[in-house]
Amino acid sequence: MASGMTTAQTAAKSTAHQAANSRSLELLTRIGFIGYGVVHLVVAWLAVQIATGDPAREGDQTGAFAELAEHTAGRVLLVVTMVGLAAMAVWQGLLAVIGHREETGAARVWQRVGSAARAVVYAVLAVSAGRAAFGNPSSSAGKQEGAAAGVMGHAWGPWLVGLVGLGVAGLGIGLAVYGIARKFERRLKQGEMSATARKAATATGMTGYVAKGVAYGIVGVLLLQAAWTHDPDKSRGLDAALRTLAAQPYGGLLLGLVAAGIAAFGAYCFFQSRYRKV
């Protein structure tokens, strides 16, 4: 029995390695990075609209999907993005199971946990892109608010929302540090990049990760406020964070800077499409 299980496990790992090294999966993943970059550029545009006081959709990925879905070319791009994001989810899922062999011990465990989390995020985004492309969009901000309201209906709910807020705020700090320390560079095939491409990738990567860190940090603080005040309206994710920034003194300028950073991350995704180690 033990020998049979070992043989099955070996076969499963072999299949996973073959899938991870698939050229088709690599190509689709690189296409996914392009779609992911476009989504960030649209989110940045929505943030600019919020900053200038114009009516806008939700300032998050689902708002970007809805914006693209209004145009025929946008729907085609959404379908391509959906497929690419699904490939990215599979890629990260495989890394969570068999990847990160360059790391050892606890470092490898954390890298695999991070890959598992990214796989879930990419899968959710792929579903959202598909729903928008085929005429059935959903509101992530509304879902987050509804989920928070449901959780806070329990005695332990505010504590759980507060813990999630701490986790998201920690993620924001981690993203900012990741960008400032330029840790993303080790994921790129720098030997294949020209000096100009390396400088541009470094600049957009640093700016993009810091901007995303700021945005997620604000999301975390808002979740903590929602838990403290028992007000689920504050738990609307990235959209709430952008609108909170816009409401501050000099909010338009601050939000404009964050929008520029999110756009920079979108540009960095294009570099990842070409030079990311997949």
Side-chain angles (χ1 to χ4, degrees), residues 141-165 219-237:
K143 286 183 177 179
Q144 291 173 62
E145 181 182 350
V151 169
M152 286 193 287
H154 301 278
W156 44 264
W159 291 98
L160 180 57
V161 172
L163 286 174
V164 172
V219 171
V221 171
L222 290 174
L223 283 169
L224 288 169
Q225 288 183 346
W228 181 260
T229 62
H230 292 241
D231 181 7
D233 286 346
K234 293 184 173 64
S235 58
R236 293 177 60 85

Side-chain angles (χ1 to χ4, degrees), residues 162-180:
L163 286 174
V164 172
L166 285 174
V168 174
L171 172 63
I173 294 171
L175 285 171
V177 171
Y178 188 79
I180 293 170

Side-chain angles (χ1 to χ4, degrees), residues 50 55 110 118 132 220 248 277:
I50 294 172
W110 282 112
R118 284 188 287 273
Q248 305 307 309
K277 296 175 183 176

